[in-house]
Amino acid sequence: MNTPIHPKDWIVGRTANGTNHLNWGVKAGNHIYVAGMLSTDPYDGSTVGEGDIITQTRRVLDSVKEVIETAGGKMTDVTFNQIFLKDLADYHAMNSVYVEYFKENLPARACLKADMVKPEYLVEIITIAVVSG
């Protein structure tokens, strides 16, 4: 059975800029699938850290962490991250924050250059985690 993951008080179904048809994540059996996280404030939908890859990466990974923990997991349960960067020149700065969240048992990952849904976004991360039990 697939269960939508909705962290407490987060905006679901709308954003500051309109309608949004998503779940922040879905738990299917022991798997947690976290939607592509952008640097938005989850309570009002505003952009966080415009022009700052460090701040945006931290906001994105804090969101990933909240979704995983809401589903009963931990960041150490993460098995895969798909990272999208607007500019590959931001790779090392993004990675300096990334390693703060994944200190041991690094998940598999891929990193691609991509256009973002809005020009102010610099990074997006999609995550898969597997929890025991």
Side-chain angles (χ1 to χ4, degrees):
M1 169 184 233
N2 295 342
T3 306
I5 303 166
H6 299 253
K8 186 177 184 336
D9 299 326
W10 278 24
I11 295 172
V12 177
R14 66 178 178 82
T15 68
N17 299 314
T19 301
N20 183 339
H21 306 286
L22 64 82
N23 287 314
W24 293 109
V26 173
K27 187 170 184 185
N30 293 344
H31 290 78
I32 301 168
Y33 299 92
V34 181
M37 290 289 144
L38 293 163
S39 187
T40 57
D41 183 297
Y43 303 101
D44 69 13
S46 64
T47 301
V48 175
E50 193 164 340
D52 182 347
I53 188 64
I54 299 282
T55 299
Q56 287 201 14
T57 302
R58 190 163 279 113
R59 174 68 259 153
V60 166
L61 289 170
D62 283 344
S63 293
V64 167
K65 183 176 184 219
E66 182 67 26
V67 172
I68 288 173
E69 289 178 352
T70 298
K74 305 178 295 300
M75 290 298 272
T76 54
D77 296 324
V78 172
T79 57
F80 182 76
N81 286 306
Q82 177 77 52
I83 303 165
F84 300 94
L85 291 174
K86 181 177 181 177
D87 185 344
L88 289 178
D90 287 334
Y91 177 82
H92 293 293
M94 175 279 301
N95 202 53
S96 72
V97 175
Y98 183 90
V99 298
E100 294 173 18
Y101 290 78
F102 303 102
K103 294 179 180 173
E104 23 184 278
N105 300 325
L106 292 171
R109 74 178 192 183
C111 185
L112 302 166
K113 180 181 190 251
D115 289 332
M116 298 293 160
V117 67
K118 291 174 66 179
E120 61 265 27
Y121 296 130
L122 304 176
V123 59
E124 180 173 358
I125 300 177
I126 298 168
T127 300
I128 300 170
V130 179
V131 294
S132 60

